[in-house]
C-alpha cells in the first residue's frame, strides 16, 4: 500500500500537461523570419537600459575595467543555455514560455520550479528598474531625495536590506501597476521608441569615451587612489582599489561579475521563441543568436570600457554611473540628456517585465499550480486584476526594501537554476522513449504497462555484471527504450550532483586546487573520471528519432558544458543571496505541495504522463505566450 502511494505521488510530480485545442478564433501565424529579422529582434530585446545601472555596481565592487571580460563570459554562458532552450522550444509547436515548454515535455515539478524561479526573476527585474528610475531621477536633483529618505527612513539591517526605504520607487510601482490594471499595453510604438533610445545609449557613450577617455584609468595605482581620497569629498564614498590595473579584483571578481551580468542577455530568449518561424531554423537560430549576443557584447563592453576610461573605476557612482560620468568629465548638459533617455527606457523595460510577470502568474494559476483567484479576468478591462495586483504589490515592497545589488543577485539566482534545468531537460528528453500513441486513446492500464515493460527489441536480461555492462555500453536497440531512458535519467542526476561538488570545490578552494594540494587533487581527479564515465554512458544510449526544426549539436557535451558553466556561476553567489533564494523556494514548496499538486490536472484532465508525440498533436492556449 505504501509503495503504491509513493508511486502515485511520484507520477504526480512528473505528469505532463496535454495541450488542449484553442477554442474559437486562432491568430494567424506571422510571416517567415529570416536571419536578419531574428538578429533585429534579438538585439532589440537584448539591449536594456537597466543593465547600465548594474554596470556601476559590478565595476566598482567586482571587476573594475575588466567588466568587459565579464560581459564576454556572460555572453558565452547565455549562448550555451540559449541553444538548449532553442531545442526545448522546438518540442512544442506553439509560442509560450519556458514554464509551458517544460510542463509539456518534462513534467509538473520541473515546470513549477522553472515558473516559480521566473516569477522571482521578473519581480527582481521590475524592482531593479523601479529602483534605478528612482536613483536616476534623484541624481538630477543633487541626490536630495535619497538623503531625505536616508535621514527619515533609515534601516539598520546589514546584508539583507537597503540602507533606507525607497518610498519613491514604491509609489512608482503602484502607479504603473494601476495603469496595467486599467488595461495598458506595451504598444509597437513604445517598442520602436525604446529600441531607438537603447541604441542611442551605447553609441553616445562609446563616442564620449573616445573623446574624454584616459588610458591611465586602466593602469591606476595606490598613489592615484590616495590622491583621490585626500581630494574634495563627494556625495558618495569611493569604492575599493583592489590591486589596481585592468583586473583589480582578479579572476574571482570577473566570475562574480559575470554571474551578475548574465541577466544582460536575458532578452535573447524571445528571439529563440520566434526562431521557429524561420524557413531554416537549424541554421538561422544559432547564427542569429551568435550575432545578437555579439552585438550586445559590443554595446555593453563598449559602454563599460568608455565608462572606466572616463572615470576611475573606484569613483564611478554605483547607482547612477552614466549620468554621473558626464558630470565628472565636465559635460553637465550631457548628463541631463542621458538621464532623460534612461528614464524613458526604464519605464518601457518596467512595463515589459511586469506584463511578462503577470502573464506567467496567470498561466500558472490557470493550470492550478498557483491559487485560482490569480486567474480571474476582469469583465470590463479584460485583465487578470488579481495577478497584476499581486505582482505589483510584491514588486513594490521589494523595490523599496532591497538595494539594486541585492535585486540583481536574486535575479541571477533565479535565472541560472532555470537554464540549468532547461539544459538537463534537453539532456534527458532526447533519449526518452517515444510512445507514438495514435488518435484513439488507449486505456490507462495499457499505457502503464507500456511504460514499464521492456521494448520487444530489448534482449532478455542476463544475470551477472556482464549484463549490466552490456546494457550501459552496448544497447541493442537503435531507438530509445524505457530502460535506456531510465539510464539517462540516472546518469543526468548523477552528473548534476558531481558537477555541483566539483564547482563548489573550485569556487571555495581555488588556490589549494591549483597549487597541487594532494587531497583536493585526488578528489578532483575522481570527480572528473566519474563525470567522464557518466557522459560516455549517456552518449552510448540511442537518441529519439523525432524530427525537430532545431536540435542541439554535440549532444551530450554541449548541454553538459552549459550545466557546468551555470552551476559554476551560481557558486559565485554569496551566502546571503542563497539564504534569500532558499526562503523564496521554501515558500514555493509550501504552495506547490500544499495546494498546487492537488489542484493541477482537474479530473477531466487527469491521466498518466503522455508521450511527446501525443502532446505535439494538440495546441497551446494563446494566453501562455509572453
Amino acid at each position: 500500500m505504501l509503495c503504491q502511494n509513493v508511486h502515485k505521488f511520484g507520477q504526480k510530480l512528473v505528469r505532463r500537461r496535454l495541450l488542449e485545442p484553442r477554442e474559437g478564433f486562432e491568430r494567424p501565424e506571422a510571416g517567415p523570419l529570416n536571419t536578419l529579422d531574428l538578429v533585429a529582434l534579438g538585439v532589440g530585446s537584448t539591449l536594456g537600459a537597466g543593465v547600465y545601472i548594474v554596470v556601476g555596481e559590478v565595476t566598482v565592487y567586482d571587476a573594475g575595467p575588466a567588466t568587459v571580460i565579464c560581459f564576454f563570459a556572460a555572453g558565452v554562458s547565455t549562448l550555451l543555455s540559449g541553444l538548449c532552450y532553442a531545442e526545448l522550444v522546438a518540442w512544442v509547436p506553439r509560442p509560450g514560455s519556458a514554464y509551458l515548454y517544460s510542463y509539456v515535455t518534462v513534467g509538473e515539478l520541473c515546470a513549477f520550479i522553472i515558473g516559480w524561479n521566473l516569477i522571482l526573476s521578473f519581480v527582481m527585474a521590475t524592482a531593479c528598474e523601479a529602483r534605478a528610475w528612482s536613483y536616476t531621477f534623484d541624481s538630477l536633483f543633487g541626490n536630495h531625495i535619497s538623503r531625505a529618505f536616508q535621514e527619515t527612513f533609515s534601516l539598520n539591517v546589514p546584508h539583507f536590506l537597503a540602507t533606507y526605504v525607497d518610498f519613491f520607487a514604491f509609489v512608482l510601482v503602484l502607479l504603473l501597476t494601476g495603469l496595467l490594471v486599467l488595461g495598458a499595453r506595451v504598444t509597437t510604438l513604445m517598442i520602436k521608441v525604446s529600441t531607438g533610445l537603447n541604441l542611442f545609449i551605447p553609441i553616445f557613450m562609446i563616442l564620449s569615451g573616445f573623446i574624454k577617455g584616459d588610458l591611465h584609468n586602466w593602469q591606476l595605482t595606490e598613489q592615484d587612489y590616495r590622491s583621490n581620497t585626500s581630494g574634495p569629498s563627494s556625495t558618495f564614498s569611493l569604492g575599493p582599489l583592489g590591486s589596481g590595473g585592468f583586473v583589480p579584483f582578479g579572476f574571482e571578481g570577473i566570475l562574480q561579475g559575470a554571474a551578475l551580468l548574465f541577466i544582460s542577455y536575458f532578452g535573447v530568449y524571445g528571439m529563440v521563441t520566434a526562431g521557429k518561424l524561420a524557413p531554416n531554423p537549424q541554421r538561422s537560430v544559432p547564427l542569429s543568436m551568435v550575432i545578437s549576443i555579439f552585438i550586445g557584447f559590443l554595446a555593453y563592453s563598449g559602454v563599460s570600457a568608455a565608462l572606466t576610461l572616463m572615470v576611475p573605476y573606484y569613483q564611478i557612482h554605483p547607482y547612477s554611473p552614466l549620468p554621473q560620468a558626464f558630470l565628472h568629465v565636465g559635460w553637465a548638459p550631457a548628463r541631463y540628456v542621458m538621464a532623460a533617455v534612461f528614464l524613458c527606457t526604464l519605464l518601457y523595460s518596467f512595463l515589459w517585465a511586469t506584463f511578462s510577470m503577470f502573464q506567467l502568474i496567470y498561466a500558472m494559476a490557470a493550470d492550478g499550480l498557483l491559487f485560482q483567484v490569480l486567474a480571474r479576468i476582469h469583465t470590463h478591462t479584460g485583465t487578470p486584476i488579481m495577478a497584476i495586483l499581486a505582482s505589483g504589490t510584491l514588486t513594490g515592497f521589494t523595490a523599496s526594501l532591497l538595494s539594486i545589488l541585492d535585486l540583481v543577485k536574486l535575479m541571477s539566482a533565479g535565472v541560472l537554476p532555470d537554464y540549468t534545468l532547461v539544459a538537463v531537460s534537453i539532456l534527458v528528453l532526447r533519449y526518452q522513449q517515444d510512445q507514438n500513441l495514435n488518435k484513439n486513446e488507449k486505456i490507462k492500464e495499457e499505457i502503464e504497462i507500456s511504460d514499464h515493460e521492456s521494448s520487444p527489441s530489448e534482449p532478455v536480461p542476463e544475470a551477472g555484471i556482464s549484463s549490466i555492462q552490456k546494457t550501459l555500453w552496448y544497447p541493442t536497440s537503435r531507438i530509445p527504450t524505457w530502460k535506456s531512458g531510465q539510464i539517462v535519467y540516472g546518469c543526468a542526476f548523477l552528473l548534476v550532483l558531481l558537477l555541483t561538488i566539483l564547482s563548489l570545490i573550485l569556487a571555495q578552494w581555488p588556490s589549494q586546487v591549483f597549487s597541487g594540494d594532494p587531497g583536493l587533487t585526488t578528489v578532483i581527479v575522481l570527480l572528473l573520471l566519474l563525470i567522464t564515465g557518466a557522459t560516455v554512458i549517456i552518449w552510448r544510449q540511442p537518441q529519439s528519432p523525432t524530427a525537430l526544426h532545431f536540435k542541439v549539436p554535440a549532444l551530450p557535451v554541449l548541454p553538459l558544458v552549459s550545466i557546468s558553466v551555470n552551476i559554476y556561476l551560481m557558486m559565485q553567489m554569496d551566502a546571503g543571496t542563497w539564504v534569500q533564494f532558499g526562503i523564496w523556494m521554501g515558500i514555493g514548496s509550501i504552495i506547490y505541495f500544499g495546494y498546487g499538486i492537488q489542484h493541477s490536472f482537474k479530473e477531466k484532465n487527469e491521466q498518466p504522463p503522455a508521450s511527446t508525440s501525443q502532446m505535439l498533436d494538440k495546441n497551446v492556449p494563446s494566453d501562455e505566450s509572453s
Side-chain angles (χ1 to χ4, degrees):
M1 185 65 180
L2 178 61
C3 293
Q4 290 180 350
N5 292 334
V6 172
H7 178 68
K8 290 180 180 179
F9 180 75
Q11 279 191 325
K12 288 183 178 181
L13 297 179
V14 298
R15 58 190 175 182
R16 301 173 185 173
R17 169 179 171 174
L18 297 181
L19 299 179
E20 301 172 357
R22 294 176 181 168
E23 295 181 0
F25 176 76
E26 279 197 32
R27 293 175 298 178
E29 294 286 353
L33 301 176
N34 56 32
T35 303
L36 185 60
D37 295 329
L38 292 177
V39 169
L41 179 61
V43 172
S45 57
T46 298
L47 294 181
V51 177
Y52 300 126
I53 301 295
V54 183
V55 166
E57 292 271 5
V58 173
T59 304
V60 174
Y61 299 113
D62 291 315
T67 304
V68 174
I69 305 176
C70 297
F71 277 116
F72 176 77
V76 172
S77 176
T78 303
L79 178 62
L80 295 173
S81 300
L83 291 174
C84 296
Y85 183 65
E87 179 169 333
L88 188 64
V89 171
W91 284 95
V92 184
R94 290 294 183 271
S97 61
Y99 157 73
L100 172 68
Y101 299 139
S102 58
Y103 207 162
V104 172
T105 56
V106 183
E108 183 174 291
L109 179 61
C110 181
F112 180 83
I113 294 174
I114 287 178
W116 188 247
N117 284 342
L118 281 177
I119 292 175
L120 173 66
S121 301
F122 283 130
V123 169
M124 296 302 115
T126 50
C128 186
E129 303 285 356
R131 194 92 184 191
W133 207 96
S134 174
Y135 284 137
T136 304
F137 186 82
D138 183 37
S139 68
L140 296 177
F141 299 95
N143 301 312
H144 292 298
I145 299 176
S146 58
R147 290 177 185 175
F149 285 153
Q150 181 77 43
E151 296 173 358
T152 309
F153 304 106
S154 180
L155 296 173
N156 296 316
V157 187
H159 308 299
F160 287 100
L161 298 177
T163 55
Y164 64 90
V165 180
D166 193 343
F167 280 105
F168 189 87
F170 181 76
V171 172
L172 176 66
V173 171
L174 293 185
L175 290 175
L176 295 177
T177 301
L179 292 177
L180 292 172
V181 168
L182 296 176
R185 292 288 185 272
V186 178
T187 64
T188 304
L189 178 61
M190 291 176 61
I191 294 174
K192 291 180 179 179
V193 172
S194 177
T195 301
L197 293 176
N198 277 330
L199 290 174
F200 168 80
I201 293 174
I203 293 174
F204 188 69
M205 274 300 299
I206 292 172
L207 292 177
S208 302
F210 275 114
I211 298 172
K212 301 295 292 184
D214 184 0
L215 282 175
H216 179 69
N217 287 333
W218 284 1
Q219 304 169 354
L220 296 171
T221 62
E222 186 175 351
Q223 182 178 358
D224 298 315
Y225 186 76
R226 286 200 301 267
S227 63
N228 282 293
T229 305
S230 60
S233 60
S234 177
T235 56
F236 58 95
S237 59
L238 294 178
L241 172 68
S243 60
F246 186 76
V247 189
F249 303 104
F251 184 67
E252 182 180 356
I254 293 176
L255 291 175
Q256 291 175 352
L260 295 178
L261 295 176
F262 180 83
I263 63 173
S264 57
Y265 303 97
F266 185 70
V268 79
Y269 297 101
M271 179 267 294
V272 173
T273 304
K276 61 177 64 180
L277 299 177
N280 184 12
Q282 192 70 23
R283 177 181 179 275
S284 298
V285 169
L287 181 60
S288 58
M289 189 183 302
V290 170
I291 296 175
S292 299
I293 291 176
F294 180 70
I295 293 175
F297 164 71
L298 291 180
Y300 289 140
S301 60
V303 169
S304 60
L307 179 63
T308 51
L309 286 172
M310 293 168 65
V311 187
Y313 63 88
Y314 48 77
Q315 285 187 281
I316 293 174
H317 196 293
Y319 307 130
S320 183
L322 303 194
Q324 293 293 335
F326 290 105
L327 183 64
H328 179 84
V329 298
W331 285 11
R335 167 199 180 192
Y336 293 100
V337 173
M338 184 61 69
V341 172
F342 256 59
L343 295 179
C344 294
T345 53
L346 285 171
L347 281 179
Y348 161 75
S349 300
F350 178 90
L351 289 173
W352 176 86
T354 305
F355 187 72
S356 301
M357 174 171 50
F358 77 70
Q359 270 194 326
L360 177 60
I361 293 175
Y362 168 78
M364 294 181 68
D367 289 338
L369 295 180
L370 294 179
F371 304 111
Q372 290 289 334
V373 67
L374 297 174
R376 292 180 182 175
I377 301 294
H378 194 272
T379 55
H380 296 294
T381 62
T383 57
I385 287 185
M386 297 308 297
I388 297 175
L389 291 177
S391 59
T393 302
L394 183 58
T395 300
F397 280 109
T398 305
S400 62
L401 296 177
L402 296 180
S403 66
I404 281 187
L405 184 59
D406 290 331
L407 294 172
V408 173
K409 287 180 179 179
L410 279 172
M411 184 179 176
S412 296
V415 172
L416 286 169
D418 271 9
Y419 292 126
T420 302
L421 284 175
V422 168
V424 173
S425 300
I426 294 304
L427 187 64
V428 301
L429 191 60
R430 188 90 73 83
Y431 294 94
Q432 296 309 304
Q433 182 183 18
D434 192 356
Q435 298 176 21
N436 290 321
L437 300 178
N438 55 29
K439 293 182 180 180
N440 297 322
E441 295 184 358
K442 294 178 173 58
I443 58 174
K444 291 184 179 181
E445 291 79 8
E446 184 178 348
I447 298 176
E448 290 176 356
I449 291 174
S450 66
D451 282 340
H452 294 85
E453 285 185 346
S454 300
S455 173
S457 60
E458 292 184 67
V460 178
E462 301 175 2
I465 301 177
S466 60
S467 174
I468 299 176
Q469 292 176 345
K470 188 174 182 180
T471 303
L472 296 177
W473 298 96
Y474 304 103
T476 56
S477 176
R478 294 184 178 181
I479 61 174
T481 62
W482 181 85
K483 181 180 291 186
S484 66
Q486 296 303 304
I487 290 173
V488 173
Y489 264 116
C491 289
F493 176 79
L494 178 62
L495 281 170
V496 172
L497 179 62
L498 294 174
L499 289 171
T500 302
I501 297 174
L502 178 62
S503 299
L504 182 62
I505 293 175
L506 293 176
Q508 296 298 321
W509 302 284
S511 58
Q512 293 90 326
V513 171
F514 294 107
S515 64
D517 182 270
L520 291 177
T521 302
T522 303
V523 173
I524 294 293
V525 171
L526 289 176
L527 288 173
L528 291 176
L529 289 175
L530 291 173
I531 290 171
T532 303
T535 303
V536 172
I537 291 174
I538 293 178
W539 172 67
R540 295 292 299 170
Q541 306 308 309
Q543 295 186 27
S544 171
T546 303
L548 301 173
H549 71 253
F550 179 81
K551 288 187 176 182
V552 172
L555 202 76
V557 176
L558 192 145
L560 284 176
V561 174
S562 176
I563 293 169
S564 304
V565 173
N566 291 341
I567 291 178
Y568 191 70
L569 290 179
M570 283 190 282
M571 294 301 166
Q572 304 305 316
M573 300 291 179
D574 56 56
T577 301
W578 288 117
V579 169
Q580 295 170 340
F581 180 74
I583 294 174
W584 175 260
M585 292 304 298
I587 296 173
S589 301
I590 295 173
I591 293 175
Y592 177 68
F593 290 107
Y595 178 87
I597 198 172
Q598 301 173 7
H599 292 80
S600 61
F601 274 75
K602 300 301 181 181
E603 291 183 1
K604 63 179 181 180
N605 294 325
E606 189 73 34
Q607 45 190 303
S611 68
T612 303
S613 62
Q614 181 184 8
M615 290 178 289
L616 296 185
D617 291 334
K618 301 185 182 291
N619 298 324
V620 56
S622 59
D623 57 33
E624 288 288 347
S625 61
S626 60

